[in-house]
């Protein structure tokens, strides 16, 4: 076990040790004056002898120990495992451990708690990148690390940045990645005002593009006073009138609505740009309302103001706007080689540090009780 402090700056509280020390130096134990007859012939104002004297040294020591214990507790002391200093070879689940030579290294699976590769492989996980970062943070800085990963795997975003230079090996895996389900196109529900009926044709054409041949498009268009069809998930609101209470409740439960540029938006917080034209001018903004999404166009629904309405890729753009595709997660291992960055805190991901504060709390309570007993006991020494 290696002792460590998670918050060493808190040791500045040790300066408080000077407080009881100064009190004991400046304030002598209370004295008791005893008068007797012979004192009348003595000088009432004798010159005192100046010398440093500490009274009740045991009480002083207990008070100092109490302050030291509190300061150490504030610094969050822990005991962390010393760890195995052998080189580490980490294998992703699904890789045959027999094809990776031992070479006297410690082999572990890239799985929660990093079990030994001498045991059966755990189930494959989608958190491979996070586990690599955690393992890098837990190992001592000088421990060599070899990562054996599939040729393609799930990534969680940015490229890996580790605190050490690692050996990166991509090998075939025995696990076949599951095929991702195909995305279903959105079923469009349009609610329009009488003066906006011409704009319905652009969304009817998009719904027809989503449908297979000889398939009825999933499209429902009606005036704004008509209720939404059952199971509706997307709504196109072609009106400058406010949304009805029923529509607002539907959005709060997770619905997605695309508002005309002049429609009042229920979103009160910030909005982000989710669609831009060829010169990066915003075409649509997005905000949250309850569990749903509120999209709003920034231009009138007319080809002169919004040329994208008559472009061939408008159905795809509308689909992406209403139902954004998930970001690509699978990456090629050869394109995901970790880069070297600054090392993070040594204990940021310590798997099982032993917190010493509960024991210090017991010690502090005992010291406080001892200090109170020494300070208030009846037979406390009093200088005569």
């Amino acid at each position: 076990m290696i002792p460590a402090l998670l918050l060493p700056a808190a040791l500045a509280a040790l300066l408080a040790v000077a407080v009881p020390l100064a009190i004991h130096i400046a304030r002598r134990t209370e004295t008791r004056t005893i008068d007797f007859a012979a004192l009348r012939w003595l000088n009432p104002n004798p010159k005192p002898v100046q010398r440093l004297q500490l009274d009740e040294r045991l009480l002083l020591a207990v008070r100092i120990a109490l302050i030291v214990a509190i300061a150490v507790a504030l610094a969050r002391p822990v005991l962390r495992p010393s760890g195995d200093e052998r080189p580490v070879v980490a294998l992703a689940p699904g890789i045959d451990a027999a094809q990776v030579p031992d070479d006297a290294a410690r082999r572990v699976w890239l799985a929660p708690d990093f079990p030994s590769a001498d045991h059966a492989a755990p189930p494959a996980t989608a958190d491979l990148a996070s586990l690599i970062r955690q393992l890098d943070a837990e190992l001592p800085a000088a421990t060599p690390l070899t990562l054996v990963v599939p040729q393609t795997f799930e990534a969680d975003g940015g490229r890996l940045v580790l605190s050490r230079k690692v050996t990166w090996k991509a090998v075939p895996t025995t696990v076949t990645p599951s095929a991702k389900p195909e995305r279903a196109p959105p079923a469009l529900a349009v609610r329009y005002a009488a003066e906006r009926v011409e704009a319905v044709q652009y969304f009817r054409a998009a719904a027809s593009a989503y449908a297979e041949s000889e398939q009825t498009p999933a499209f429902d268009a009606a005036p704004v006073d008509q209720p939404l069809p059952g199971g509706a998930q997307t709504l196109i609101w072609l009106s400058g009138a406010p949304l009805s209470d029923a529509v607002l409740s539907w959005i709060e439960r997770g619905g997605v609505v695309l508002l005309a540029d002049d429609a009042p938006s229920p979103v009160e917080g910030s909005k982000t740009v989710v669609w831009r034209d060829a010169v990066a001018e915003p075409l649509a903004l997005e905000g949250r309302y309850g569990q749903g999404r509120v999209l709003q166009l920034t231009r009138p629904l007319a080809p002169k103001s919004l040329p994208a309405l008559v472009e061939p890729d408008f159905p795809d753009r509308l689909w992406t706007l209403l139902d954004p595709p998930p970001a690509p997660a699978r990456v090629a291992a050869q394109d995901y080689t970790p880069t070297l960055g600054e090392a993070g805190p040594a204990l940021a991901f310590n798997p099982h540090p032993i917190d010493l504060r509960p024991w210090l709390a017991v010690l502090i309570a005992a010291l406080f009780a001892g200090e109170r007993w020494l300070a208030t006991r009846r037979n406390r020494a009093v200088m005569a």
Side-chain angles (χ1 to χ4, degrees), residues 244-277:
S244 64
D245 293 340
V247 172
L248 290 175
S249 299
W250 170 81
I251 299 173
E252 283 186 318
R253 296 192 300 270
V256 179
V257 62
L258 175 62
L259 302 177
D261 63 301
D262 57 345
S265 174
V267 177
E268 298 180 354
S270 60
K271 302 177 183 179
T272 57
V273 179
V274 291
W275 187 18
R276 297 180 184 271
D277 61 12

Side-chain angles (χ1 to χ4, degrees), residues 71-116:
V72 174
L74 292 175
R76 299 182 60 187
V78 296
L79 288 177
R80 61 188 179 97
S82 58
D84 193 337
E85 297 182 355
R86 292 180 297 166
V88 174
V89 177
L91 300 86
I95 293 176
D96 185 5
Q99 64 179 320
V100 180
D102 192 337
D103 294 335
R106 182 165 63 97
R107 301 190 304 170
V108 299
W109 292 112
L110 282 171
D113 298 328
F114 305 108
S116 173

Side-chain angles (χ1 to χ4, degrees), residues 25-276:
I25 293 176
R27 182 177 179 274
R28 302 288 302 276
T29 305
E30 66 178 42
T31 60
R32 182 175 58 193
T33 303
I34 301 176
D35 294 330
F36 54 94
L39 288 178
R40 62 186 296 185
W41 307 108
L42 300 179
N43 184 1
N45 297 311
K47 184 178 180 180
V49 178
Q50 298 292 334
R51 67 176 182 178
L52 181 64
Q53 183 175 354
L54 293 176
D55 298 333
E56 299 184 287
R57 296 182 180 181
L58 179 58
L59 177 60
L60 175 60
V62 171
R63 286 175 173 172
I64 292 177
L66 178 61
I67 293 176
V68 171
I70 293 175
V72 174
L74 292 175
R76 299 182 60 187
V78 296
L79 288 177
R80 61 188 179 97
S82 58
D84 193 337
E85 297 182 355
R86 292 180 297 166
V88 174
V89 177
L91 300 86
I95 293 176
D96 185 5
Q99 64 179 320
V100 180
D102 192 337
D103 294 335
R106 182 165 63 97
R107 301 190 304 170
V108 299
W109 292 112
L110 282 171
D113 298 328
F114 305 108
S116 173
D118 297 333
H119 303 115
T125 176
D127 297 330
L128 198 62
S130 298
L131 289 167
I132 291 174
R133 296 187 186 97
Q134 179 180 349
L135 180 62
D136 171 63
E138 289 180 3
L139 293 177
T143 300
L145 177 59
T146 299
L147 298 170
V148 185
V149 297
Q151 293 174 336
T152 60
F153 62 92
E154 301 285 338
D156 59 1
R159 192 172 181 177
L160 286 170
V161 179
L162 305 181
S163 64
R164 75 196 70 221
K165 189 175 181 180
V166 301
T167 302
W168 184 259
K169 295 182 179 180
V171 300
T173 178
T174 58
V175 177
T176 303
S178 57
K180 293 185 177 180
E182 295 185 0
R183 295 171 60 225
L188 302 181
V190 178
R191 294 295 178 265
Y192 58 89
E195 66 276 11
R196 307 281 178 89
V197 65
E198 292 185 1
V200 176
Q201 59 180 322
Y202 304 113
F203 300 97
R204 189 187 305 274
S208 300
Y210 299 150
E212 300 290 342
S213 58
E214 300 182 359
Q215 181 183 8
T216 303
F219 185 75
D220 179 85
V224 292
D225 57 351
Q226 296 297 313
L228 295 179
Q233 296 181 349
T234 58
L235 169 65
I236 314 296
W237 186 262
L238 305 181
S239 173
L243 297 170
S244 64
D245 293 340
V247 172
L248 290 175
S249 299
W250 170 81
I251 299 173
E252 283 186 318
R253 296 192 300 270
V256 179
V257 62
L258 175 62
L259 302 177
D261 63 301
D262 57 345
S265 174
V267 177
E268 298 180 354
S270 60
K271 302 177 183 179
T272 57
V273 179
V274 291
W275 187 18
R276 297 180 184 271

Side-chain angles (χ1 to χ4, degrees), residues 351-368:
H352 300 291
I354 300 176
D355 193 351
L356 298 181
R357 286 179 297 174
W359 299 100
L360 281 174
V362 175
L363 176 61
I364 290 171
L367 289 172
F368 180 77

